[in-house]
């Protein structure tokens, strides 16, 4: 196989998702000659099968809920149903606009974009449909796909993945969601808003189990109020077709039936058959292993995004891709602090957080060194206007910085930006308390929580 061009690129990127295209854009901006290889569509999972389409569905669900419930605000409307063809048209228009913009960005940076299925052929080359693309450095960014369990076959009919759920041509009358993490609770929330009867099965003892336990309990309370059922603490055993749908059996013998089963137990790395192991790249359970600068054990190869065992979030992929590009361009780089990454689950209500959970903080600093406080959104004017419930919980090292911010409530994802600054700048509660937050906003609740933690609560009992 020959390189059909004499070019040896500074950086060859295998995968055009969040991590790959971020590295390409930043690398080209810094003067690197970049080749970007993608077998499907530029933008990857996030744009086409993940972040963007799921949030569009969730917003459509929010509109459905508002139309049903508008009379509580003194506005009379009638809800006539959900037109899934119309929902998909709206969703696809959002994706198409962003996709076109991204294509234009890549073209404007003079990145060599290569469509085709690539395979690592040496520590400095990728083969794509009969062409060898040479580079001084190779970045692996091949992303992830929905995972399943042994013996549980995703058939795209009654047993579906999140990919299938995004294109479902109907609102299922009933659905079982296997997995109570981010993907599972987001689809459960959207489907309930559309009118489905939903049951979430989570083997661990709480929904969104990686979040602070208080956030999980608040979400569980909200889901109960919405009529979303869930079964916690017992693992899946088997699934089988019934005459009209699917039956799920758990390890304790409990059975659940529904029209469809969504398997939402997470995503696994795309790495098999791509030449990684053959070229000496260290792997673990399909993930490519990297150091804090995203370097693999092979000096000319880096890896980013869902392919590596870090947080599977698009914005983490962006940060990792930028880090690699800047390192290769000779800039001083700082490793990603994964605890400092904002995390948002866009169900109704939203769950947003940054930093350590209270349990983790006690593990790190000692139980006697950690304090926490909760500020209920019921004391926040804008939240009352929006008729949302929830809390903001702060976790602090005693007499020190705030090391965790955990929020539950509608639109809390929009508040996590300031929470990120508080954590990453190691702010003291008294420092945040000095800042004036606009009234009436939900952002004000974050300020009020810090006032309380600083010992001078305003709209909160001592």
């Amino acid at each position: 196989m020959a390189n059909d061009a004499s070019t040896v690129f500074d950086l060859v990127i295998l995968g055009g998702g969040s991590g790959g295209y971020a590295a390409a854009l930043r690398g080209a901006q810094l003067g690197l000659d970049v080749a970007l290889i993608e077998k499907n569509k530029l933008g990857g999972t996030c744009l086409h099968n993940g972040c963007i389409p799921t949030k569009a569905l969730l917003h459509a669900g929010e509109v459905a809920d508002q139309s049903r419930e508008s009379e509580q605000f003194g506005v009379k409307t009638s809800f006539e149903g959900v037109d899934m063809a119309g929902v998909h048209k709206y969703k696809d228009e959002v994706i198409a606009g962003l996709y076109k913009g991204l294509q234009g960005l890549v073209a404007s940076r003079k990145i060599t974009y290569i469509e085709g299925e690539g395979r690592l052929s040496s520590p400095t080359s990728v083969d794509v449909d009969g062409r060898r693309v040479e580079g001084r450095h190779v970045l692996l960014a091949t992303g992830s796909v929905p995972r399943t369990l042994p013996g549980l076959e995703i058939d795209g009919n009654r047993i579906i993945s999140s990919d299938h759920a995004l294109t479902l041509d109907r609102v299922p009358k009933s659905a079982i969601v296997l997995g109570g993490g981010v993907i599972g609770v987001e689809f459960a929330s959207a489907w309930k808003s559309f009118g489905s009867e939903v049951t979430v099965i989570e083997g661990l003892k709480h929904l969104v189990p990686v979040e602070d336990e208080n956030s999980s309990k608040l979400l569980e309370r909200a889901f109960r109020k919405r009529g979303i059922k869930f079964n916690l603490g017992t693992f899946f055993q088997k699934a089988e077709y019934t005459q009209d749908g699917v039956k799920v059996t758990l390890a304790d013998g409990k059975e659940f039936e529904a029209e469809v089963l969504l398997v939402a137990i997470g995503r696994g790395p795309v790495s098999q058959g791509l030449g990684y192991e053959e070229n000496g790249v260290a792997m673990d359970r399909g993930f490519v292993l990297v150091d804090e600068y995203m370097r693999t054990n092979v000096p000319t190869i880096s890896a980013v995004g869902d392919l590596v065992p870090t947080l599977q979030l698009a914005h983490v992929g962006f940060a990792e891709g930028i880090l690699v590009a800047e390192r290769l361009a000779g800039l001083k780089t700082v490793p990603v602090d994964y605890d400092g990454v904002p995390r948002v689950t866009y169900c109704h209500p939203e769950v947003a957080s940054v930093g350590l959970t209270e349990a983790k903080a006690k593990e790190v600093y000692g139980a006697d060194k950690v304090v926490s406080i909760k500020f209920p959104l019921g004391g926040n004017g804008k939240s009352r206007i929006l008729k949302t419930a929830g809390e903001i919980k702060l976790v602090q090292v005693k007499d020190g910085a705030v090391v965790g911010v955990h929020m539950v409530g509608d639109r809390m994802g929009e508040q996590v930006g300031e929470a990120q600054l508080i954590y990453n700048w190691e702010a003291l509660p008294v420092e945040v308390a000095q800042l004036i937050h606009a009234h009436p906003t939900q952002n004000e609740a974050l300020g009020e929580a810090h006032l309380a933690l600083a010992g001078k609560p305003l709209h909160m009992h001592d």
Side-chain angles (χ1 to χ4, degrees):
M1 184 176 294
N3 185 352
D4 63 5
S6 58
T7 303
V8 175
F9 294 95
D10 294 315
L11 176 59
V12 174
I13 302 170
L14 182 54
S18 301
Y21 85 67
L25 292 172
R26 184 62 177 138
Q29 193 176 55
L30 292 170
L32 300 180
D33 192 6
V34 179
L36 179 61
I37 300 161
E38 171 56 51
K39 69 176 182 178
N40 291 320
K41 289 183 177 181
L42 185 63
T45 295
C46 171
L47 179 53
H48 300 285
N49 302 98
C51 316
I52 299 302
T54 55
K55 278 51 179 181
L57 289 186
L58 283 157
H59 182 62
E62 182 184 358
V63 173
D65 285 333
Q66 287 174 341
S67 66
R68 288 190 195 96
E69 301 163 4
S70 66
E71 199 159 343
Q72 65 180 315
F73 302 101
V75 178
K76 294 186 177 181
T77 62
S78 59
F79 176 72
E80 297 181 9
V82 175
D83 171 18
M84 283 310 296
V87 171
H88 289 312
K89 180 175 183 291
Y90 150 68
K91 167 179 65 72
D92 294 343
E93 284 173 352
V94 172
I95 294 169
L98 292 170
Y99 180 42
K100 184 177 180 181
L102 183 55
Q103 289 174 305
L105 262 179
V106 167
S108 72
R109 298 277 173 90
K110 296 183 170 43
I111 294 162
T112 300
Y113 183 67
I114 301 168
E115 289 187 10
E117 188 163 355
R119 186 178 188 278
L120 187 69
S121 49
S122 82
T124 55
S125 66
V126 174
D127 290 349
V128 190
D129 299 336
R131 172 185 177 184
R132 178 152 293 173
V133 184
E134 300 274 358
R136 295 178 180 86
H137 200 91
V138 175
L139 174 60
L140 308 177
T142 43
S144 63
V145 291
R147 289 175 52 227
T148 188
L149 295 170
L152 180 58
E153 182 184 351
I154 296 175
D155 56 27
N157 182 11
R158 300 185 198 177
I159 302 176
I160 64 176
S161 71
S162 56
D163 288 350
H164 302 116
L166 285 170
T167 58
L168 207 61
D169 62 359
R170 68 193 187 284
V171 177
K173 290 184 177 63
S174 57
I176 297 168
V177 177
L178 182 59
V182 173
I183 298 170
V185 299
E186 287 189 348
F187 273 102
S189 184
W191 276 343
K192 182 62 181 179
S193 296
F194 288 156
S196 295
E197 288 301 315
V198 183
T199 302
V200 181
I201 306 294
E202 170 54 56
L204 300 178
K205 64 179 183 178
H206 286 296
L207 297 178
V208 288
V210 301
E211 295 292 341
D212 189 90
E213 188 172 321
N214 185 66
S215 295
S216 295
K217 289 178 177 179
L218 288 169
L219 180 63
E220 289 160 14
R221 184 189 306 166
F223 270 22
R224 283 190 200 98
K225 190 174 180 180
R226 293 185 62 197
I228 298 174
K229 300 173 186 174
F230 48 88
N231 191 92
L232 306 173
T234 307
F235 287 98
F236 168 88
Q237 185 177 76
K238 65 178 180 178
E240 53 195 325
Y241 272 22
T242 64
Q243 184 174 345
D244 301 315
V246 183
K247 180 169 72 174
V248 169
T249 305
L250 303 187
D252 62 0
K254 276 188 187 175
E255 295 180 344
F256 301 86
E257 292 193 31
E259 181 184 330
V260 296
L261 167 63
L262 170 63
V263 181
I265 59 169
R267 299 181 64 87
V270 176
S271 58
Q272 292 301 305
L274 297 179
Y276 297 170
E277 289 174 299
E278 293 91 322
N279 284 285
V281 177
M283 312 275 288
D284 180 32
R285 296 171 294 116
F287 289 102
V288 172
L289 299 178
V290 293
D291 67 9
E292 67 270 30
Y293 293 99
M294 315 316 297
R295 297 176 296 202
T296 72
N297 61 309
V298 179
T300 54
I301 300 175
S302 297
V304 297
D306 288 1
L307 182 62
V308 302
T310 57
L311 291 172
Q312 290 186 325
L313 298 168
H315 44 290
V316 167
F318 295 148
E320 292 171 344
I322 290 168
L323 188 156
V324 170
E326 293 184 346
R327 172 168 57 79
L328 294 178
L331 301 184
K332 184 179 179 181
T333 55
V334 177
V336 175
D337 173 7
Y338 293 99
D339 288 330
V341 171
R343 306 173 294 272
V344 185
T345 304
Y346 295 88
C347 50
H348 167 48
E350 291 182 351
V351 180
S353 63
V354 66
L356 307 181
T357 64
E358 184 172 1
K360 182 65 175 177
K362 287 178 176 178
E363 184 183 312
V364 172
Y365 297 103
D368 60 332
K369 302 292 185 185
V370 173
V371 295
S372 66
I373 198 166
K374 301 172 188 175
F375 182 83
L377 294 184
N380 173 253
K382 187 59 182 285
S383 296
R384 293 294 287 264
I385 290 166
L386 295 171
K387 288 186 177 285
T388 186
E391 288 178 353
I392 292 177
K393 177 180 176 178
L394 304 180
V395 180
Q396 179 198 15
V397 177
K398 192 176 291 184
D399 300 321
V402 173
V403 296
V405 181
H406 305 278
M407 303 178 285
V408 177
D410 290 344
R411 306 189 186 182
M412 285 298 104
E414 301 302 322
Q415 310 310 320
V416 81
E418 183 182 358
Q420 174 185 216
L421 297 179
I422 291 165
Y423 171 85
N424 283 288
W425 286 348
E426 299 179 348
L428 301 175
V430 69
E431 293 171 328
V432 182
Q434 291 174 3
L435 302 176
I436 298 174
H437 293 76
H439 174 79
T441 64
Q442 289 184 290
N443 181 241
E444 188 181 14
L446 196 54
E448 292 257 9
H450 284 83
L451 278 167
L453 196 53
K456 47 181 182 179
L458 192 60
H459 297 97
M460 182 177 177
H461 294 289
D462 294 342

